[in-house]
Amino acid sequence: DGGITQSPKYLFRKEGQNVTLSCEQNLNHDAMYWYRQDPGQGLRLIYYSQIVNDFQKGDIAEGYSVSREKKESFPLTVTSAQKNPTAFYLCASSFIESSSANSPLHFGNGTRLTVT
Amino acid sequence: QKEVEQNSGPLSVPEGAIASLNCTYSDRVSQSFFWYRQYSGKSPELIMSIYSNGDKEDGRFTAQLNKASQYVSLLIRDSQPSDSATYLCAVKGRGSTLGRLYFGRGTQLTVWP
């Protein structure tokens, strides 16, 4: 079945450690996205990528890094510079559409990161 | 900064009633609008998309779009307890931000039996 796989589901780290969250999709989508969700908050965009080897900062990119070496993969690294890393992280993907077409985002199941 | 505003709720309706969820957006040129449902602890799932003014119906769900008023709504008919979730309104960017979705904070809906 096609879909987006995020791993792990739960992740625990000590403060000061970098951690990488995995996201893989087999939907042949061009674009991939990372969102962060905090309790009672909406989704905030961290980074997105519309093509391999290219990515753009979202609204809250500080303290995060990404890579897009393959179309299927878009890992997110939460660095020690991120001041409040504990959150629910969601990866999503979509087709890149023309101005006349519309492609919704499809989400993975998320990774819940806890940093103590 | 594009803004998407939703009533945070919580919205509470009895089983069988119509639940009405509302959303306004700031970017007048937005063309694509989506409603996602998110159960507690889970990821959002797409339930409706709408691109043209008017109503779009899918089962018990109806999305309504009014671009002149920059307003999009979701009606849930015959509400069921299983509809209890947070509903996220999302608006797609255009131009340099094509592909990005801008999300509201969500409206929490509770359907009581």
Side-chain angles (χ1 to χ4, degrees), chain B residues 16-84:
Chain B
I18 295 175
S20 178
L21 306 163
N22 305 315
C23 174
T24 59
Y25 58 96
S26 63
D27 188 357
R28 184 171 293 278
V29 299
S30 297
Q31 295 292 320
S32 307
F33 308 88
F34 306 91
W35 283 99
Y36 285 82
R37 177 177 62 199
Q38 186 177 25
Y39 292 114
S40 181
K42 303 295 184 182
S43 63
E45 56 179 324
L46 179 70
I47 55 172
M48 288 288 285
S49 59
I50 187 165
Y51 315 118
S52 303
N53 278 329
D55 295 359
K56 179 182 178 182
E57 187 175 316
D58 184 0
R60 295 186 296 110
F61 299 97
T62 299
Q64 299 174 319
L65 175 62
N66 183 327
K67 292 184 181 179
S69 300
Q70 296 175 235
Y71 175 90
V72 58
S73 66
L74 180 70
L75 300 178
I76 306 175
R77 292 183 301 282
D78 189 23
S79 295
Q80 302 297 309
S82 59
D83 295 325
S84 298

Side-chain angles (χ1 to χ4, degrees), chain A residues 37-42, chain B residues 8 105-106:
Chain A
Q37 188 174 38
D38 296 282
Q41 300 292 316
Chain B
S8 60
R105 292 193 172 196

Side-chain angles (χ1 to χ4, degrees), chain A residues 28-94:
Chain A
N28 199 33
H29 283 167
D30 308 291
M32 298 187 73
Y33 309 81
W34 275 104
Y35 285 89
R36 168 182 173 144
Q37 188 174 38
D38 296 282
Q41 300 292 316
L43 301 179
R44 293 185 291 169
L45 183 66
I46 304 172
Y47 269 99
Y48 64 110
S49 168
Q50 297 184 328
I51 193 171
V52 173
N53 292 323
D54 188 42
F55 47 82
Q56 288 76 41
K57 293 182 179 180
D59 300 320
I60 55 165
E62 185 176 352
Y64 299 98
S65 65
V66 294
S67 63
R68 186 87 185 276
E69 298 177 0
K70 298 186 302 181
K71 185 176 182 178
E72 301 80 15
S73 179
F74 192 41
L76 173 73
T77 296
V78 184
T79 74
S80 57
Q82 169 51 232
K83 296 179 181 178
N84 297 294
T86 295
F88 187 43
Y89 290 87
L90 288 159
C91 179
S93 68
S94 72

